[in-house]
Amino acid sequence: MELTLHVWRQKNGQDSGKMVTYKARDVAPESSFLEMLDQVNEDLIKQNDEPIAFDHDCREGICGSCSMMINGKAHGGRKGTTTCQLHMRSFKDGEQIYIEPWRAKAFPVVKDLVVDRGAFDRIISSGGFVSVNTGGVPDANAILISKQSADTAMDAAECIGCGACVAACKNASSMLFVAAKVSQFANLPQGQPERMQRVSNMVEQMDKEGFGNCTNYFECEAACPKQISVGFIANMNRDYLKASLLHQEPVGKA
Amino acid sequence: MSWIVRLQKSSLGSKYIMAITGAGLFVFLIGHIAGNLLLYFGQEAMNAYALSLHHLPYGLLWVARGGLLVFALAHVFIAYRLSFHNRAARPQRYQYEATLQASFASRTMPYTGTLVLLFILFHLAQFTFHLVAYNGPYTDSLGRDDVYTMVVNAFQNPVYSVLYIISMLVIGFHLSHGLSSMWQSLGLNHQKYNLLFRKLSPLAGWVLCLAAASIPLAVLVGVIK
């Protein structure tokens, strides 16, 4: 296969950046999208050019590192697929491919296709955890959890934090990510003690990071490589409403 | 009170306000359009209804008008604030733009919303404040405000009837997304009720807007004279 790539090149955060056109030659249809980029980079290195910088780690669709817009679609838009699991057989010989980084104020470009997703880490630090006391190991079945709750929590916990939801949203909103991280605990008994405080803190941090708002047009759900449902956003909306209206500090002494 | 200020400023709080005010405005629209469908029942029915509205007890008319104004202002203000935030959240656009499943209506809410606002201002200027495109005053044989003749006269001019029909379609698009979106914003997403939330609600919006659009069309083709 031979392809024409239009790739966003940007030296660093200060550089204004631009699209640069490259040819990808002798691409095997069974190679992955990242392998195709590796091949282009080898050519660039041989020509003493700077290789295209992109994030990647596990290359098996579970780490959430690889992140790029391919022809305007996060991870290329193939259902339930990360960029590393996208194969070149999904493209036609001679196709023009546009490759851009995630675009969001909260995800500043570090270099080329690499963006800083630290905003997600700060949202997690603000409440995406359960506090567990140290001590003896608790009995495995001391807390009963229905299969349905466990499955729902697991569906939310599938989120790999890649940021495709933000990239696909016209408002660069991170609602699907935050909703998944809120809901994985909201559906488990272990998440109940901090439930109200958690959703308040995480939504507050999300707003502080400069993500946009939800228009409920559900591009995030379609773009999510883990197919996280927007039902979790409704979950978060419900919890945040409850927390805002009803949650109060400890009553204290008169 | 500080928590209320915080809530209305937050991304989710803003969406609750959009949903609640949007639902309120839709309820008004049902009443408004149902009332105006009386045009099909002739001059007597329409004018008597208009008069009865003006003689609601306990100043209810002004309560309704006040509530409507507050809802409309809140809906418009928060909508523009949200749009402003949303634009700021993506300072640099993609060179290649594509969507996977977003509907046309959902992608154009700020634009259809702005068109609806302009239409409402024109509609008020024409039929409430009689500032533009008004050939009145109109009074019927009983000395009442002749709302029937006023509307029919206006719509006999194809410029206004076509403008109104187009505006109703724009409102239809706005409602087709808004009426399903409001449930989600308030956290209402449920396997058993998603048919109502995602299909029946937009359908109700379309039925209402097409019913409203039928009035200028009926005048234009001479069904209402």
Side-chain angles (χ1 to χ4, degrees):
Chain A
M1 293 174 83
E2 189 175 302
L3 303 154
T4 307
L5 308 182
H6 304 278
V7 187
W8 182 260
R9 300 305 306 265
Q10 183 175 341
K11 283 192 183 70
N12 51 48
Q14 284 74 47
D15 185 24
S16 55
K18 60 176 192 299
M19 298 298 277
V20 179
T21 305
Y22 299 100
K23 282 275 179 220
R25 295 193 175 85
D26 299 325
V27 178
E30 63 271 19
S31 64
S32 78
F33 199 85
L34 297 187
E35 283 164 347
M36 183 274 293
L37 284 180
D38 290 338
Q39 216 175 315
V40 171
N41 275 346
E42 299 230 352
D43 288 345
L44 287 176
I45 292 166
K46 277 180 203 152
Q47 295 160 23
N48 262 335
D49 251 343
E50 183 79 8
I52 302 161
F54 59 88
D55 263 332
H56 62 102
D57 190 12
C58 75
R59 297 209 177 195
E60 53 187 16
I62 54 169
C63 77
S65 291
C66 55
S67 54
M68 53 191 82
M69 290 304 263
I70 302 165
N71 288 342
K73 291 167 219 139
H75 296 293
R78 198 165 186 279
K79 197 171 182 179
T81 308
T82 53
T83 303
C84 63
Q85 292 292 298
L86 181 69
H87 290 85
M88 297 316 293
R89 56 178 171 267
S90 309
F91 298 87
K92 287 190 289 288
D93 191 26
E95 202 175 328
Q96 309 264 332
I97 306 177
Y98 288 77
I99 310 172
E100 297 172 76
W102 290 167
R103 293 281 186 213
K105 182 167 161 253
F107 287 166
V109 172
V110 176
K111 187 179 180 179
D112 298 341
L113 304 173
V114 179
V115 297
D116 178 0
R117 282 170 286 186
F120 273 8
D121 298 334
R122 291 187 289 276
I123 292 173
I124 293 293
S125 321
S126 73
F129 50 81
V130 288
S131 304
V132 179
N133 291 330
T134 54
V137 180
D139 183 76
N141 295 316
I143 303 169
L144 295 179
I145 304 172
S146 74
K147 175 83 169 79
Q148 190 243 358
S149 297
D151 283 352
T152 306
M154 198 56 220
D155 287 341
E158 269 206 62
C159 170
I160 51 177
C162 66
C165 45
V166 176
C169 176
K170 71 183 167 81
N171 307 331
S173 166
S174 62
M175 297 281 172
L176 193 64
F177 167 77
V178 180
K181 299 304 178 190
V182 163
S183 303
Q184 65 189 12
F185 296 124
N187 281 287
L188 293 176
Q190 290 88 341
Q192 300 315 308
E194 293 156 307
R195 184 172 179 172
M196 293 293 117
Q197 203 56 56
R198 176 183 306 113
V199 70
S200 302
N201 291 349
M202 290 179 79
V203 169
E204 200 177 298
Q205 187 63 34
M206 167 179 81
D207 289 351
K208 257 192 226 157
E209 297 290 347
F211 290 107
N213 306 280
C214 191
T215 301
N216 298 326
Y217 84 152
F218 303 161
E219 270 298 287
C220 52
E221 182 185 70
C224 176
K226 295 295 147 185
Q227 296 165 277
I228 308 280
S229 163
V230 293
F232 290 120
I233 299 183
N235 235 317
M236 172 178 70
N237 290 349
R238 218 159 41 226
D239 271 10
Y240 186 74
L241 186 60
K242 212 187 289 173
S244 299
L245 296 181
L246 301 176
H247 184 64
Q248 55 178 346
E249 297 302 312
V251 172
K253 290 177 179 159
Chain B
M1 289 299 280
S2 66
W3 67 272
I4 295 182
V5 177
R6 242 191 356 262
L7 178 60
Q8 63 83 25
K9 266 192 187 160
S10 73
S11 52
L12 297 194
S14 301
K15 295 301 296 185
Y16 303 147
I17 298 172
M18 290 306 286
I20 293 165
T21 53
L25 293 171
F26 179 65
V27 169
F28 161 76
L29 202 61
I30 295 174
H32 185 58
I33 289 173
N36 280 286
L37 286 174
L38 285 172
L39 277 159
Y40 282 109
F41 297 90
Q43 189 180 21
E44 166 57 29
M46 187 68 220
N47 291 352
Y49 165 71
L51 192 71
S52 71
L53 270 190
H54 283 270
H55 287 89
L56 283 175
Y58 313 114
L60 274 177
L61 181 67
W62 285 101
V63 174
R65 280 175 169 169
L68 194 57
L69 187 66
V70 170
F71 269 47
L73 287 178
H75 196 75
V76 171
F77 171 73
I78 305 279
Y80 282 111
R81 193 176 68 184
L82 283 168
S83 298
F84 177 77
H85 280 167
N86 293 342
R87 266 166 197 274
R90 169 152 305 140
Q92 186 157 12
R93 299 175 68 129
Y94 294 106
Q95 308 264 330
Y96 190 118
E97 302 212 344
T99 47
L100 294 166
Q101 69 172 18
S103 68
F104 171 77
S106 69
R107 282 183 282 130
T108 51
M109 286 305 269
Y111 310 110
T112 52
T114 301
L115 289 176
V116 172
L117 176 63
L118 292 175
F119 165 73
I120 292 171
L121 293 176
F122 176 80
H123 183 52
L124 286 172
Q126 185 179 18
F127 288 146
T128 306
F129 299 113
H130 306 148
L131 293 174
V132 284
Y134 177 72
N135 303 317
Y138 299 97
T139 322
D140 67 7
S141 55
L142 294 173
R144 296 175 300 197
D145 241 355
D146 193 357
V147 178
Y148 182 87
T149 310
M150 173 180 77
V151 174
V152 172
N153 266 2
F155 286 163
Q156 271 165 351
N157 183 340
V159 172
Y160 298 117
S161 38
V162 169
L163 177 80
Y164 271 71
I165 291 169
I166 294 173
S167 301
M168 287 312 115
L169 295 179
V170 173
I171 296 180
F173 270 110
H174 195 73
L175 288 182
S176 74
H177 179 65
L179 289 177
S180 78
S181 178
M182 66 181 190
W183 305 106
Q184 170 83 3
S185 290
L186 291 171
L188 296 166
N189 180 320
H190 193 288
Q191 286 161 3
K192 285 183 179 158
Y193 307 104
N194 277 348
L195 179 70
L196 167 70
F197 299 157
R198 295 193 178 182
K199 295 278 184 306
L200 298 182
S201 301
L203 185 68
W206 275 118
V207 167
L208 193 66
C209 289
L210 292 178
S214 77
I215 298 172
L217 189 68
V219 174
L220 206 57
V221 300
V223 175
I224 300 177
K225 301 191 262 252

